[in-house]
Amino acid sequence: MAVQSILSSGELLCYFSKVGKDGYRPSECYVPTVENDWFKAPEGSTPGDIVMAKSCDGKLLCEVRLPPEARPGQICKVEFMGYTVPPVDVFVAGVCLFTLNCQGPAFASARRCDSCFAFMLAAGDDGPVKLATKWNKRALAPAGMSLMAAMMRSDPARRPTIGECLASAWFASLDGNAASLVRACADGVVPSPAAVGETGP
């Protein structure tokens, strides 16, 4: 599915409806209804912050704006912020990388009720790596595992940008046309179909 992600002014568009398949969709895409707008303010947060927060029933994790009366650790009525597209794309690409490496999906749904996703949340930034290790799956090179884990962070604000992903040390070993394609994408140049075909076996 393709959507417009940015206005000509440079402002990112926000969306509120679920998109894509459950096994690839990040948690911020599960925007609750207005009736479920009581969330716990995260520790270290301040009033007015836009943060990833848990719903008071503990089932959802999404991006919200805290009200002026918000206090860390307390339940408050929040404003839903929806989600922007670029961090979602990065997360989905990270899930694809995990699936290809582990020959299976990381989770059925990026919600706290999913045991595998809950395991990754509890493990922090190394969640995807620890899940792959738990399943005795082969590991990518350290730089590849680090990139995959960063792309699958639950907080969209902490995921690398697409450019930062393409600048990863994991791609340093590429040569020839493959390396040229990565550099072109990092520079915002869309390679031609012919150029992509030249990278095949």
Side-chain angles (χ1 to χ4, degrees):
M1 173 178 277
V3 298
Q4 183 178 355
S5 61
I6 191 170
L7 297 175
S8 58
S9 63
E11 180 183 359
L12 288 171
L13 291 170
C14 291
Y15 290 86
F16 292 81
S17 298
K18 290 188 297 185
V19 65
K21 297 181 179 179
D22 284 353
Y24 294 86
R25 185 187 303 127
S27 57
E28 68 263 24
C29 291
Y30 293 95
V31 182
T33 60
V34 175
E35 290 78 14
N36 298 317
D37 56 355
W38 290 93
F39 277 63
K40 178 183 286 189
E43 296 298 331
S45 62
T46 58
D49 283 353
I50 296 176
V51 296
M52 287 295 287
K54 292 188 296 185
S55 57
C56 58
D57 61 9
K59 294 180 179 179
L60 295 174
L61 182 70
C62 62
E63 203 162 26
V64 302
R65 187 194 303 276
L66 299 177
E69 67 274 14
R71 297 293 180 270
Q74 295 185 2
I75 302 297
C76 56
K77 195 176 181 68
V78 300
E79 175 188 357
F80 298 125
M81 301 306 295
Y83 59 89
T84 56
V85 174
V88 172
D89 286 342
V90 169
F91 185 90
V92 171
V95 171
C96 290
L97 185 56
F98 183 101
T99 302
L100 289 170
N101 179 65
C102 297
Q103 301 178 342
F107 45 76
S109 172
R111 290 180 283 190
R112 297 180 64 84
C113 57
D114 183 284
S115 59
C116 292
F117 185 70
F119 175 89
M120 291 199 305
L121 282 179
D125 284 354
D126 292 330
V129 176
K130 291 183 177 179
L131 185 61
T133 301
K134 180 182 178 182
W135 290 348
N136 295 316
K137 298 296 184 179
R138 65 184 178 88
L140 298 168
M145 296 299 280
S146 177
L147 174 62
M148 180 184 73
M151 294 170 74
M152 293 177 66
R153 286 172 181 156
S154 60
D155 186 347
R158 298 188 57 244
R159 290 177 205 144
T161 64
I162 294 172
E164 289 169 343
C165 291
L166 292 169
S168 166
W170 190 45
F171 295 114
S173 61
L174 296 178
D175 54 19
N177 289 329
S180 298
L181 286 176
V182 170
R183 286 195 296 271
C185 290
D187 293 336
V189 178
V190 179
S192 67
V196 173
E198 291 172 0
T199 65

